[in-house]
Amino acid sequence: MNQFQNLTKGLIKENPILVLVLGTCPTLATTTSSLNGMGMGIATTFVLIGSNVVISLLSDLIPDKVRIPAFVVIIASFVTIVDLLMQAYVPGLYEKLGISIPLIVVNCIVLGRAEAFACKNSVFSSLIDGLGMGLGFTLALGILGAMREIAGSGAIFGHKLIAGDGILIFVLAPGAFIALGYLIAVINRIKKT
């Protein structure tokens, strides 16, 4: 697989949310708006890239018996960096995302990429994989957040597009399931054609 395929596989073919259906907890919890979804996606992308690179660098030094705990420590280090940076530079978004930021540590997308790809491939390939999966995750969260925000409040990125109230259910938890279901159905339809 060349590096372009490695980068683009996370966008549609192996999109963590829309195809692999991984990381649904932060997906459903943080996509009440497009800004929240994009913020969570960017934070997770940073963690994916950083942890993939470090795990790839250290993979030969980490004994098999402690591989998963070592991966979790590396991932937790990058999550701590993201948590502190967001708290310092984007406190409004940090407050909205709340507990979802520290929970990136246990996000199955991040640990899954460390186990399935980063520990078995070169540093550069692991960096590209983390970037591609992160972009796919960010894209899925951004689209889902936009769908929910438009349907739920008639706005996108906080700017009102439609006068009046939206459909309340899309701002609530059941709306996340409904919107995600429709988005996955659209992707499945696209992949069949």
Side-chain angles (χ1 to χ4, degrees):
M1 172 183 334
N2 67 36
Q3 295 304 334
F4 181 74
Q5 290 172 324
N6 189 17
L7 177 69
T8 58
K9 72 181 179 207
L11 297 177
I12 297 285
K13 186 179 178 190
E14 293 182 27
N15 186 288
I17 299 296
L18 306 176
V19 176
L20 302 177
V21 194
L22 296 173
T24 53
C25 183
T27 300
L28 299 173
T30 62
T31 57
T32 53
S33 73
S34 46
L35 186 61
N36 291 356
M38 296 292 284
M40 183 64 175
I42 292 167
T44 304
T45 300
F46 175 82
V47 172
L48 269 166
I49 292 169
S51 62
N52 271 11
V53 167
V54 171
I55 288 168
S56 180
L57 279 169
L58 300 177
S59 63
D60 293 336
L61 303 174
I62 300 172
D64 282 344
K65 290 182 179 183
V66 295
R67 188 180 70 246
I68 299 299
F71 291 173
V72 170
V73 169
I74 292 166
I75 293 165
S77 300
F78 282 100
V79 170
T80 302
I81 292 167
V82 166
D83 191 54
L84 293 172
L85 286 172
M86 288 184 74
Q87 192 174 7
Y89 295 107
V90 282
L93 181 61
Y94 177 80
E95 290 296 321
K96 288 180 184 176
L97 294 178
I99 190 68
S100 297
I101 296 297
L103 287 177
I104 294 173
V105 172
V106 293
N107 190 324
C108 52
I109 297 167
V110 181
L111 188 57
R113 293 322 295 171
E115 178 66 22
F117 196 91
C119 69
K120 299 172 184 150
N121 290 285
S122 72
V123 174
F124 185 68
S125 291
S126 298
L127 183 144
I128 297 298
D129 177 73
L131 178 62
M133 287 295 164
L135 289 175
F137 185 69
T138 304
L139 180 68
L141 264 63
I143 291 171
L144 186 59
M147 286 173 57
R148 290 182 65 195
E149 189 175 9
I150 290 168
S153 62
I156 189 161
F157 291 108
H159 301 291
K160 197 79 165 151
L161 300 175
I162 303 166
D165 296 332
I167 305 166
L168 179 62
I169 195 166
F170 282 102
V171 178
L172 303 174
F177 283 103
I178 294 167
L180 181 59
Y182 278 116
L183 200 51
I184 290 172
V186 167
I187 292 299
N188 285 337
R189 183 71 172 169
I190 289 170
K191 285 178 68 177
K192 284 184 180 179
T193 56

